Amino acid sequence: MFHAIQVWFAATPPAAIVRDVVWFKALLESAHILADGLVLFSVGMICVRVARASSPDAAAEAARRFAPWVWGALAVAVSTGLVLLTGAGRRGLDNPMFQIKLAALLSAALVTGGLQLSLARDAGFWTVNPRRRAAAAMLGPLCFLLWLATVFAGRLLAYSTAFFEPRY
Ligand code: HEM
């Protein structure tokens, strides 16, 4: 199925531009990487305060302040990524490294959304008792590591043949 979708992508008009217009691909990749950096920074500001679980308000305040940047930058990463994907060929949907990246991305977005929602509902959710604080001390770093895994898998796409035999 992934291969069929990637073949369909390759026949779309943006695919030809991504493949043949070098400056356009370079601009897209630059915007993609800048957006990734902003996602990582904003998520980091939230995850550190969740993990520290020092005061009820610190994490909730960080989520209020930085969550819009997380989702805004992610929207840029997803939209530039989808255009890049049309012309990605073997680095596309049917590449195991890309599938690892997608799995990390979806898990990271779910954990980040869950943290943001829990803090929006109850600022003291992660500091109310020692068990919650212990959970926060694990969830904060886990959340950040999932985004880091997304970035590494994205970068390793260019070297994926060193890890996986090309399927097509
Ligand atoms: C649906 C969402 C996304 C799609 C479809 C997507 C797609 C792609 C594609 C096709 C490439 C490879 C371009 C190439 O080398 O030919 C790429 C590179 C990359 N992606 Fe994504 N991406 C998405 C989201 C993200 C996110 C959320 C992050 C990080 C938080 C990310 C990090 C990276 C990195 C670090 C690279 C390597 C850039 C380079 O080699 O210069 N991507 N992405």
Side-chain angles (χ1 to χ4, degrees), residues 122-164:
D122 174 4
F125 186 87
W126 296 104
T127 52
V128 71
N129 62 44
R131 253 179 76 177
R132 288 273 180 85
R133 278 199 285 275
M138 283 191 294
L139 265 179
L142 172 72
C143 177
F144 193 70
L145 284 175
L146 286 169
W147 286 107
L148 266 187
T150 308
V151 169
F152 276 97
R155 181 75 278 249
L156 289 174
L157 263 174
Y159 310 99
S160 54
T161 48
F163 303 93
F164 306 103

Side-chain angles (χ1 to χ4, degrees), residues 25 29 32-33 36 39 74 77-78 81-82 84-85 88 91 98 101-102 105 147 150-151 154-155 157-158:
K25 181 172 179 185
E29 279 205 351
H32 196 64
I33 294 168
D36 308 340
V39 170
L74 187 61
V78 170
L82 286 173
L84 280 168
L85 189 59
R91 292 182 191 171
F98 192 86
K101 178 182 170 184
L102 269 190
L105 170 57
W147 286 107
T150 308
V151 169
R155 181 75 278 249
L157 263 174

Side-chain angles (χ1 to χ4, degrees), residues 34-60:
L34 284 172
D36 308 340
L38 194 50
V39 170
L40 268 189
F41 171 77
S42 313
V43 162
M45 297 307 264
I46 299 172
C47 294
V48 164
R49 284 171 179 79
V50 168
R52 272 205 207 133
S54 49
S55 80
D57 296 328

